[in-house]
Amino acid sequence: MTGLDPETIRKDFPILSRTVRNGKPLVYLDSGATSQHPVQVLDAEREYYERHNAAAHRGAHLLGEEATSIYEDARAKVAGFIGAEAQEVVFTKSATEAINLVAFSLTGSIKPGDEILISELEHHANLVPWQQLCLRTGATLRWFTSLPDGRIDVDPSLITERTKIVAVTGQSNVTGVIPPVADIAALAHEAGALVLCDAAQSVPHHPVDVKALDVDFLAFSGHKMLGPLGLGVLYGKYDQLDALPPFLTGGSMIEVVRMEETTFLPPPAKFEPGVPAVSLAAGLGAAVDYLTALGMDNVAAHEESLAAHALGALGEIPGVRIIGPVTTEDRGGTVAFEVEGVHAHDVGQVLDELGIAIRTGHHCAWPLHRALSCQASNRASFYVYNTHSEVDQLAEGVRYAKQFFGV
Ligand SMILES: Cc1ncc(COP(=O)(O)O)c(C=O)c1O
C-alpha cells in the first residue's frame, strides 16, 4: 500500500475515462513516451488564454504584466521542484533541445583530443548531440558500457583529464535503471569535467535535487510530468550557464543591439529568445503543483509497487524475458520485455486491440537494445494514475498474445 490512491487521481484525467479500440476502456501504459494531463493543468492553460494572454516580457499593459508574472511564477515553481534557484532554470522546447543547447554552446570550448563521456544506456537525445559535438570539434566520444542486467558499468578509468563533459541518464527510458548519478558526478568533478544529467525519466517519477546530485546541467520535458507538450527545462548551475555563449539568438535575449554587435542578457534570458510560451509554462506550473501535492516520494513508491507487480506477473509467463533488472532496486516504473517468438510490434498490436497502450520498438535507445541482444522490446511505463488491475490486464494481454500467435 502506498500513499497514492490512483482511483481518486484518475478522476482528474478526462482522457482516462474514454474508450478506445473495440469499445475497450483505455489502459494507458505509455507515460514514458508522454504522460496524460489532469484537469488542473488543462484549466491553467485555458485560464491563461481566456484571461491573461499577452507577450510576456514586453508591452506596457496589464495583460503583458500578468503574462510575465505567470511565466516567472512557473519558473520559480519548477526551480523549487528540483532544488534550484529560479535564474538557473531555462525554458526550452524539450529535453532534447535542452541537451542540444549545452552541446552546441560548448562547441567553442572543446578541442581535438578532448573526450565526451556518455553511457550505452542513453536515449538518442543524450547521444546524438554529443556525437555531433565530437564531429564539430574533433573530440572523441567514449561511453560506459551496459552490464547484462542493463545497469551501467561505471568504469572510473574512462574519466581522465581529457574528459570535458560526462552526460548520463537519470533513469533509463527502457529498463528503468537508475544509475548512480551523484557518484558519477563526483568522479567527473574530481577530473575537472562538467556533468549533465538527462532527467527526462527521473524528474517526473522520483524526487530530484540538483544540489544533492551536484550536476552542472540537468534536462527534462514537461510533457512527461503531466505538463503540456512543447516545453522543456534546462537546469544549469548559474556560473556554468553564465559561462556558455547563447544557443538560439534573437529578440528578448539581448542587452544592447547595434548594427555592428550585440550584447546579451544574463541567464536564463540569454537562452530564451522570442516570445515565451506562457500557456505551456502555466500548465507546467500546475503540473508541478499537482505532483507536489501528491508528494514525489509517494509517486516513486507507487511506481515501485506497480513495477514489482509487473516484474512478477510478466516474469512468470513462459517465454517472456524482462529486459533489464528483475528487481525494483535502483529502478523506476518502466518495464521492458520480449516475448519469445512474437515480434514486439505484434505484441503491441494485440494489446492495442484490448485497449492496452504500450510502446514497442527500440524506444530511441538502439545501442542499449543491441547491447542487451534485443532487436525490439515491449515497454510498459507506469505513472500516478495506473492501477494494479491494469498491470494484471497487461499480463493477461501478453498471455493472450502468445496464445493468438500460437507460441
Ligand atoms: C531518457 C530520455 N531522454 C530524453 C528524451 C527526449 O525527450 P523529448 O522528446 O521530450 O525531448 C526522452 C524521451 O522519451 C527520454 O526518455
Side-chain angles (χ1 to χ4, degrees):
M1 212 39 208
T2 65
L4 290 196
D5 175 13
E7 291 303 344
T8 306
I9 291 172
R10 290 174 75 81
K11 296 193 181 109
D12 290 331
F13 291 74
I15 203 169
L16 298 179
S17 58
R18 70 160 282 188
T19 52
V20 284
R21 276 192 222 286
N22 307 318
K24 302 276 185 193
L26 170 64
V27 176
Y28 189 75
L29 303 180
D30 198 16
S31 297
T34 196
S35 64
Q36 299 300 349
H37 304 96
V39 281
Q40 290 84 341
V41 168
L42 303 173
D43 286 350
E45 289 180 79
R46 169 177 285 275
E47 152 102 6
Y48 167 73
Y49 278 123
E50 284 182 351
R51 294 194 44 80
H52 311 288
N53 185 43
H57 298 151
R58 299 163 170 73
H61 51 78
L62 179 68
L63 294 189
E65 204 177 294
E66 288 174 359
T68 303
S69 88
I70 290 169
Y71 189 67
E72 293 306 326
D73 283 355
R75 191 195 307 280
K77 280 181 190 177
V78 169
F81 193 62
I82 56 168
E85 305 301 324
Q87 73 267 28
E88 296 176 314
V89 166
V90 176
F91 284 127
T92 62
K93 193 161 58 95
S94 58
T96 303
E97 188 182 275
I99 297 167
N100 273 280
L101 187 164
V102 178
F104 268 91
S105 300
L106 282 175
T107 303
S109 41
I110 305 288
K111 55 183 189 326
D114 288 346
E115 293 180 358
I116 313 295
L117 180 60
I118 60 169
S119 87
E120 214 169 21
L121 273 60
E122 302 309 317
H123 185 284
H124 299 163
N126 196 32
L127 189 170
V128 183
W130 304 114
Q131 284 180 337
Q132 293 294 306
L133 174 62
C134 289
L135 281 176
R136 284 194 301 279
T137 60
T140 304
L141 190 71
R142 304 243 180 256
W143 54 91
F144 295 123
T145 52
S146 79
L147 295 165
D149 68 352
R151 296 194 186 276
I152 295 187
D153 182 4
V154 182
D155 174 1
S157 73
L158 287 171
I159 304 178
T160 69
E161 75 284 356
R162 289 187 298 280
T163 313
K164 294 299 164 226
I165 182 155
V166 179
V168 283
T169 185
Q171 180 175 313
S172 162
N173 66 310
V174 179
T175 59
V177 159
I178 299 175
V181 174
D183 297 346
I184 294 172
L187 289 170
H189 286 149
E190 247 171 65
L194 293 170
V195 179
L196 177 142
C197 175
D198 171 4
Q201 298 290 345
S202 44
V203 167
H205 301 293
H206 47 86
V208 169
D209 181 330
V210 288
K211 296 210 171 69
L213 290 177
D214 192 23
V215 291
D216 299 288
F217 303 104
L218 181 121
F220 56 101
S221 283
H223 71 93
K224 294 184 196 285
M225 52 183 288
L226 312 180
L229 285 156
L231 192 68
V233 173
L234 173 67
Y235 155 80
K237 284 183 184 165
Y238 189 82
D239 290 349
Q240 298 299 346
L241 287 177
D242 201 34
L244 288 183
F247 169 46
L248 301 172
T249 53
S252 292
M253 46 81 72
I254 53 84
E255 199 175 44
V256 179
V257 179
R258 296 201 172 80
M259 290 314 287
E260 295 76 17
E261 62 166 354
T262 296
T263 56
F264 306 114
L265 287 170
K270 179 165 74 168
F271 299 104
E272 293 183 1
V275 177
V278 186
S279 64
L280 303 181
L284 182 56
V288 165
D289 287 343
Y290 193 93
L291 289 170
T292 304
L294 293 180
M296 288 308 292
D297 283 321
N298 292 329
V299 171
H302 178 62
E303 290 185 33
E304 184 179 336
S305 81
L306 293 172
H309 185 168
L311 289 168
L314 292 169
E316 69 186 26
I317 302 174
V320 169
R321 173 168 84 111
I322 303 290
I323 310 297
V326 292
T327 67
T328 57
E329 197 191 338
D330 293 331
R331 64 125 66 224
T334 293
V335 178
F337 58 97
E338 272 183 317
V339 181
E340 196 182 348
V342 190
H343 192 278
H345 292 158
D346 293 330
V347 175
Q349 201 174 340
V350 170
L351 292 177
D352 185 42
E353 294 291 323
L354 301 172
I356 304 170
I358 61 158
R359 174 121 185 233
T360 62
H362 53 58
H363 325 309
C364 300
W366 212 341
L368 178 63
H369 276 78
R370 269 193 216 99
L372 299 178
S373 310
C374 176
Q375 211 186 15
S377 66
N378 307 280
R379 181 188 75 181
S381 48
F382 306 117
Y383 211 6
V384 293
Y385 33 69
N386 290 122
T387 65
H388 284 276
S389 148
E390 290 180 314
V391 176
D392 288 332
Q393 290 176 64
L394 169 69
E396 271 165 43
V398 171
R399 286 181 194 275
Y400 173 72
K402 285 190 60 189
Q403 205 183 330
F404 185 87
F405 288 106
V407 296

